[in-house]
């Protein structure tokens, strides 16, 4: 029984346990079910959403597809049109792919290969090159065909091949312009430049012809100028001499007219010649050290009479602090200045012409920025004319202007010269009020830029007397460079004590409380000593009864030029009288009879011993026998020319320590090439027609210390 009961109990327990397990499993199943349901719901939601999206995308896709179709149609149209245009243009056009095969080409491109079937879509560039050479399509002009192809292949592989010009067998010219795109394919353009090339060739021919004509013209002008200058030398020279003979007023007028007409003609010839030289590119600048102040003073002095004749005042305002010695072509600078100042005087009836010279020296670069203005109170220039004023053959065309003559070349030459010197030029003008021409140049400053004062040889001892010690010391330094012994005194007493030993005293009027008495004191103490007075107003000074009429006075502020002239006069005064000293010996070599006569007349009145040689050989002989102090040498002479004769003299002088000054006389403008003359051993040169003053200046410079004065009256000039 128990067993049964136990079994039952065990069975019930087992059933209970099973039931519990079942319950538990059911609960778990339920939970899993719920979870599953939840997932299913979520999934179906997501599917719905995705479906909606797919619908949207599908719609969009459709639209894009139709857009794409439209675009493709458009592209096709554009491509058709483009290709149509490319086909119709007369220049060749082709595409190559990245492996250099022809994709397509227009008719013009293919026409070059007419009848050669291999040149078609797909052909390689290398094959095209072979066809070009093998069929003789391209004119290689002597180049080896294989070399040419290699060059062309290498060129084609570049990213941007340089354009190249080809000549074809039929005379046409093509310019190839190729461009490689980013993908490696190439657009190739063959421009037909036949007309351009033909035009260029014509142009080159025309230019060549014009240049030849121009050279012929320049040579002709140069020659003609020589031919005219030589006889003009006779005309102007003789008229000059004739003027000094006893003439009636009428005769004098005729002679002066001959002379001024001759001179005017020479100016024109020179203008035309310069212009043609500039045109032909034959005009060279001769750069050498020169004295800037002197150049300006020379021009002012030269044109002063012209201004005075018109009652104009011509004033030079020169910045004294400018360095004096500069590097440049002094002759050409003078020419520029002469043109501008000459014009200013020409076109001014009343008032003044002012030349203002300023500059900024740069101590580091040793250069001077020079600034020059030439200002006048003349007729001025109308606004609409001002732009043409520097052109060739320009003359302002109006009633007022027609009264002035000229070639209309002056300003154009002036402008070209200034530009050749690296400068620029401009003009400001008001019609009826005046003009102002300005130019700017940068010039190198020469070492030790103070120009040495050339002190005449007879002045061996000079005394300076002035209250301003610094100014006197500066002047003394400059004078000493010229050779003489120079002492400075700042008091009158000191001066009087030492004056007997001096050849010349230079006195600043400010040292004197009362100017007059010192003259008699000085003269009494040392009658032989020449006196030069620096004063504010030389005219006023001379008007003083106690001051001798012939006293040498220089206006302050003095210029180097005026001082030099004064010293020259002083030197002539202390020369020994003519009869005790020998005369200066001058040799002139000149083959032309008229010119010998001119020279003889020009120098005849001077106290010199003048001998002539008719050619170079004679000149060398006379140089030996006559031992001249100075030689004037014509350049073109028969038998032996002036350069050869000079060279012979220089060779003979070798080792003797002698050096006779030889001055060239040239008629031919092209002969006047200074470098050549200097290289031949000549020291100076004068252009014909010769002027008496220029000749005399040379004589004075070469006058030996112990020779007689050139004129008895020199001291009163
Ligand atoms: P020209 O030989 O006629 O003087 P230029 O070339 O020197 O030739 O000058 C050209 C023109 O410019 C002159 O004819 C004149 O009309 C004008 N001109 C030049 N300088 C001046 C000036 N200072 N005042 C007025 N006009 C001037």
């Amino acid at each position: 029984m128990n067993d049964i009961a136990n079994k039952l109990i065990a069975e019930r327990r087992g059933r209970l346990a099973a039931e519990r397990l079942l319950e538990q499993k059911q609960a778990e199943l339920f939970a899993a079910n719920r979870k599953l349901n939840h997932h299913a719901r979520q999934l179906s939601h997501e599917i719905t959403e995705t479906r909606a999206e797919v619908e949207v995308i599908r719609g969009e896709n459709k639209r894009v597809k139709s857009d794409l179709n439209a675009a493709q149609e458009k592209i096709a149209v554009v491509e058709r049109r483009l290709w149509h245009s490319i086909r119709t243009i007369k220049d060749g056009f082709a595409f190559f792919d990245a492996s250099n095969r022809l994709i397509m080409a227009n008719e013009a491109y293919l026409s070059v290969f007419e009848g050669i079937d291999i040149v078609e879509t797909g052909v390689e560039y290398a094959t095209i090159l072979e066809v070009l050479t093998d069929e003789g399509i391209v004119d290689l002009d002597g180049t080896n065909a294989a070399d040419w192809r290699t060059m062309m292949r290498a060129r084609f592989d570049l990213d941007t091949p340089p354009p190249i010009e080809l000549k074809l067998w039929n005379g046409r010219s093509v310019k190839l312009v190729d461009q490689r795109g980013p993908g490696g394919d190439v657009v190739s353009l063959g421009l037909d430049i036949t007309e351009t090339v033909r035009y260029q060739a014509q142009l080159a021919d025309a230019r060549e012809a014009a240049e030849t004509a121009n050279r012929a013209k320049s040579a002709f002008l140069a020659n003609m100028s020589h031919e005219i200058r030589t006889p003009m030398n006779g005309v102007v020279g003789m008229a000059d001499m004739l003027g000094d003979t006893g003439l009636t007023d009428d005769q004098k007028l005729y002679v002066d007219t001959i002379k001024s007409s001759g001179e005017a003609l020479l100016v024109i010839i020179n203008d035309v010649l310069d212009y043609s030289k500039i045109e032909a590119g034959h005009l060279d600048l001769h750069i050498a050290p020169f004295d800037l102040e002197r150049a300006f003073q020379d021009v002012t002095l030269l044109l002063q009479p012209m201004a005075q004749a018109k009652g104009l005042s011509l004033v030079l305002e020169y910045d004294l602090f400018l360095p004096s010695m500069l590097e440049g072509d002094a002759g050409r600078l003078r020419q520029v200045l002469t043109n501008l100042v000459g014009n200013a005087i020409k076109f001014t009836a009343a008032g003044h012409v002012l030349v203002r010279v300023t500059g900024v020296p740069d101590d580091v670069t040793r250069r001077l920025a020079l600034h020059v203005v030439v200002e006048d109170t003349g007729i001025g220039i109308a606004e609409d004319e001002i732009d043409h004023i520097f052109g060739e053959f320009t003359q302002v065309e109006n009633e007022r202007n027609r009264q002035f003559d000229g070639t209309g070349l002056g300003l154009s030459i002036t402008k070209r010269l200034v530009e050749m010197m690296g400068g620029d030029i401009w003009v400001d003008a008001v019609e009826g009020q005046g003009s102002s021409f300005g130019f700017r140049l940068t010039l190198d400053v020469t070492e030790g830029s103070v120009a040495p004062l050339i002190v005449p040889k007879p002045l061996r001892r000079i005394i300076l007397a002035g209250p301003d010690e610094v100014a006197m010391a500066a002047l003394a330094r400059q004078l000493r460079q010229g050779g003489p012994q120079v002492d400075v005194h700042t008091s009158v007493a000191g001066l009087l004590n030492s004056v007997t030993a001096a050849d010349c005293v230079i006195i600043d009027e400010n040292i004197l409380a009362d100017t007059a008495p010192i003259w008699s004191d000085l003269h009494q103490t040392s009658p032989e000593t020449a006196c030069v007075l620096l004063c504010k107003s030389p005219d006023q000074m001379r008007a003083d009864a106690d001051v001798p009429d012939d006293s040498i006075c220089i206006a302050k502020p003095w210029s180097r030029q005026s001082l030099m002239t004064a010293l020259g006069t002083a030197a002539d005064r202390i020369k020994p009288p003519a009869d005790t000293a020998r005369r200066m010996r001058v040799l002139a070599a000149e083959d032309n009879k008229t010119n010998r006569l001119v020279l003889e007349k020009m120098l005849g009145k001077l106290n010199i011993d003048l001998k002539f040689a008719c050619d170079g050989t004679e000149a060398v002989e006379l140089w030996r026998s006559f031992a001249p102090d100075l030689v004037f040498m014509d350049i073109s002479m028969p038998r032996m020319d002036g350069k050869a004769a000079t060279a012979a003299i220089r060779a003979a002088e070798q080792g003797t320590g002698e050096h006779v000054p030889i001055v060239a006389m040239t008629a031919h403008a092209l002969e006047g090439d200074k470098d050549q003359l200097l290289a031949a051993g000549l020291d100076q040169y004068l252009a014909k027609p010769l002027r008496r003053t220029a000749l005399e200046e040379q004589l004075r410079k070469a006058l030996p210390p112990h020779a007689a004065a050139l004129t008895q009256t020199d001291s009163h000039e």
Side-chain angles (χ1 to χ4, degrees):
M1 231 359 242
N2 246 353
D3 273 359
I4 293 171
N6 281 346
K7 263 185 183 172
L8 277 175
I9 289 165
E11 200 179 300
R12 219 180 77 211
R13 274 191 197 143
R15 192 168 32 96
L16 282 175
E19 275 172 359
R20 260 198 314 272
L21 189 66
L22 187 69
E23 257 170 43
Q24 191 189 339
K25 287 296 165 193
Q26 262 171 347
E28 275 175 16
L29 189 66
F30 184 71
N33 243 341
R34 264 199 7 211
K35 222 174 186 175
L36 201 66
N37 277 343
H38 179 72
H39 271 292
R41 263 201 317 275
Q42 215 168 13
L43 206 64
S44 92
H45 181 68
E46 271 172 21
I47 287 172
T48 323
E49 269 188 352
T50 310
R51 256 203 208 125
E53 272 170 21
V54 167
E55 271 314 302
V56 171
I57 288 170
R58 208 172 267 155
E60 271 175 11
N61 239 354
K62 241 183 182 165
R63 217 177 39 248
V64 168
K65 235 183 213 160
S66 84
D67 283 357
L68 205 65
N69 279 341
Q72 254 158 2
E73 267 164 40
K74 265 188 200 157
I75 288 172
V77 171
V78 171
E79 209 171 56
R80 233 180 5 257
R81 281 187 197 146
L82 180 67
W83 191 233
H84 182 68
S85 333
I86 287 174
R87 272 161 65 161
T88 51
I89 57 172
K90 69 174 189 21
D91 295 312
F93 195 92
F95 287 117
F96 291 85
D97 65 14
S99 52
N100 297 342
R101 285 177 190 282
L102 182 66
I103 301 173
M104 54 174 153
N106 71 354
E107 263 97 277
Y109 193 94
L110 294 173
S111 72
V112 175
F113 307 95
E114 215 174 355
I116 302 165
D117 296 339
I118 41 172
V119 180
E120 56 171 8
T121 308
V123 67
E124 266 193 90
Y125 188 66
T127 313
I128 295 183
L129 292 178
E130 266 162 36
V131 170
L132 283 172
T133 51
D134 295 353
E135 301 286 331
I137 295 173
V138 63
D139 179 354
L140 293 180
D141 205 13
T143 315
N144 174 285
D147 290 351
W148 183 78
R149 286 195 302 262
T150 313
M151 178 276 287
M152 289 295 281
R153 273 292 292 128
R155 171 186 170 279
F156 201 66
D157 283 338
L158 298 173
D159 278 346
T160 24
I164 186 166
E165 287 181 17
L166 303 181
K167 235 162 70 189
L168 301 188
W169 94 102
N170 55 5
R172 301 201 75 78
S173 299
V174 176
K175 183 177 190 174
L176 283 186
V177 182
D178 302 317
Q179 180 65 52
R180 203 168 270 278
D185 44 4
V186 177
V187 181
S188 180
L189 210 73
L191 301 171
D192 186 339
I193 54 165
T194 311
E195 287 312 310
T196 319
V197 168
R198 190 170 299 157
Y199 185 62
Q200 270 171 353
Q202 276 173 4
L203 218 64
D205 285 351
R207 185 189 296 135
E208 174 63 32
E211 276 171 2
T212 310
N214 201 31
R215 273 194 298 274
K217 181 194 75 181
S218 303
F220 168 74
L221 285 172
N223 255 329
M224 191 185 71
S225 110
H226 176 229
E227 296 303 322
I228 297 175
R229 269 170 201 244
T230 307
M232 281 311 285
N233 189 34
V235 175
V236 176
M238 282 304 180
D240 202 9
M241 303 311 304
L242 195 58
D244 284 351
T245 58
L247 296 179
T248 66
D249 284 352
D250 274 358
Q251 286 169 332
K252 198 154 171 37
L253 177 69
Y254 303 152
V255 167
D256 284 348
T257 311
I258 295 176
K259 211 178 114 189
S260 59
S261 304
E263 276 167 354
L265 186 59
L266 279 166
V267 169
I268 295 172
I269 293 169
N270 285 341
D271 266 9
V272 173
L273 187 74
D274 274 350
Y275 182 74
S276 59
K277 272 209 222 164
I278 292 176
E279 275 295 277
H282 288 327
L283 194 120
D284 300 318
L285 294 178
H286 299 288
I287 308 295
F290 74 102
D291 182 340
L292 183 70
E293 185 188 5
R294 175 121 194 231
F296 278 92
Q297 275 160 351
D298 280 354
V299 173
T300 323
L301 227 63
L302 184 79
L303 297 176
Q304 198 60 263
M306 189 172 144
Q308 266 162 10
K310 293 183 80 175
L312 303 174
S313 64
L314 170 58
V315 183
L316 172 63
E317 213 178 275
Y318 188 91
D319 180 352
L320 266 181
F321 295 99
L322 292 181
S324 51
M325 288 305 281
L326 298 166
E327 297 270 334
D329 188 328
R332 294 298 173 185
L333 182 64
R334 271 195 209 111
Q335 185 178 358
V336 165
L337 208 60
T338 311
N339 273 340
L340 295 182
V341 179
N343 273 349
I345 297 173
K346 186 158 105 181
F347 296 105
T348 304
H352 70 254
V353 173
L354 177 66
V355 183
R356 195 178 299 121
V357 190
T358 51
V360 187
D362 184 330
D363 287 339
V364 180
T365 60
R366 305 277 305 149
R367 309 199 79 196
L368 171 74
L370 182 68
H371 190 281
V372 181
V373 175
V374 179
E375 179 192 288
D376 66 52
T377 54
I379 62 171
I381 302 163
E383 220 167 290
D384 54 334
E385 303 287 355
I386 229 163
D387 290 340
H388 317 298
I389 212 85
F390 292 108
E392 287 89 29
F393 310 107
T394 311
Q395 289 179 307
V396 172
E397 252 313 309
N398 63 28
E399 271 316 311
R400 270 187 312 160
N401 215 338
R402 216 156 288 151
Q403 53 184 309
F404 305 105
D405 42 40
T407 54
L409 281 177
L411 283 181
S412 119
I413 294 173
T414 302
K415 179 170 194 281
R416 303 282 275 268
L417 287 177
V418 170
E419 284 168 355
M420 277 180 79
M421 298 180 200
D424 59 337
I425 184 166
W426 63 91
V427 57
D428 289 318
V430 179
E431 198 172 12
Q433 290 186 23
S435 315
S436 162
F437 285 81
F439 67 90
R440 241 188 314 248
L441 286 181
T442 306
L443 297 169
D444 283 337
V445 178
T446 319
E447 232 17 80
S449 176
V450 178
L453 281 168
I454 301 161
V455 180
K457 288 215 178 96
L459 304 183
R460 274 152 310 189
R461 205 165 154 211
I462 299 176
I463 293 182
L464 298 180
D468 183 346
E469 216 168 325
V470 180
M472 288 294 125
L475 178 54
R477 256 198 314 279
Q478 289 195 42
L479 287 171
R480 279 186 201 118
Q481 289 183 22
Q485 181 191 333
V486 183
D487 298 326
V488 175
H489 288 289
T490 44
S491 76
V492 178
L495 168 65
L496 287 174
N497 279 338
S498 53
V499 70
T500 40
D503 299 313
C504 174
V505 279
I506 301 174
I507 310 170
D508 183 330
E509 67 174 344
N510 288 348
I511 200 173
L512 315 166
D514 180 9
T515 333
I518 193 158
W519 291 109
S520 47
D521 286 351
L522 276 176
H523 191 71
Q524 264 171 17
T525 323
S526 175
E528 300 299 310
T529 305
C531 286
V532 175
L533 192 68
L534 306 174
C535 56
K536 275 216 185 60
S537 164
D539 287 342
Q540 221 175 324
M541 181 62 75
R542 282 195 204 97
D544 192 317
D546 290 318
V547 176
D549 288 342
D550 65 347
S551 60
I552 312 170
C553 300
I554 310 175
K556 290 200 295 187
W558 51 271
S559 66
R560 271 184 286 259
Q561 176 64 42
S562 57
L563 188 64
M564 239 125 80
T565 313
L567 291 179
T569 313
D572 285 343
R573 278 189 199 176
I574 64 159
K575 292 218 85 32
D579 50 345
T580 60
R582 76 157 173 92
R583 291 188 302 167
M584 178 181 189
R585 289 187 292 268
V586 179
L587 170 63
E590 168 68 72
D591 63 313
N592 183 294
K593 207 170 137 197
T594 314
N595 285 343
R596 280 203 298 273
L597 196 60
V598 170
L599 266 172
E600 193 176 353
K601 293 292 176 194
M602 282 185 170
L603 302 177
K605 282 202 193 121
L606 297 175
N607 185 33
I608 57 169
D609 191 356
L610 177 65
K611 273 198 172 41
F612 281 103
C614 296
D615 59 43
T617 323
E618 238 178 84
V620 180
E621 277 164 18
L622 271 171
W623 167 76
R624 277 184 213 289
S625 57
F626 177 53
D629 302 305
L630 172 68
V631 180
F632 289 113
M633 184 77 82
D634 184 26
I635 293 301
S636 43
M637 287 187 292
R639 289 218 285 167
M640 183 191 256
D641 72 11
K643 284 186 211 165
T646 305
I649 293 173
R650 293 293 178 239
E653 279 176 345
Q654 278 280 320
T656 62
E658 307 248 311
H659 182 103
V660 62
I662 306 184
V663 180
M665 305 183 290
T666 70
H668 201 298
L670 299 182
E671 250 175 26
D673 186 341
K674 215 170 174 177
D675 292 342
Q676 265 189 36
L677 294 176
L678 296 185
L682 290 137
D683 301 288
Q684 284 286 333
Y685 91 98
L686 296 175
K688 289 180 186 172
L690 301 172
R691 323 248 148 165
R692 192 163 27 171
T693 47
L695 288 170
E696 283 187 22
E697 194 187 317
Q698 297 297 337
L699 287 171
R700 247 176 256 289
K701 265 201 263 176
L703 184 66
H706 303 297
L710 295 175
T711 57
Q712 294 291 297
T713 49
D714 259 2
S715 48
H716 298 291
E717 261 176 15

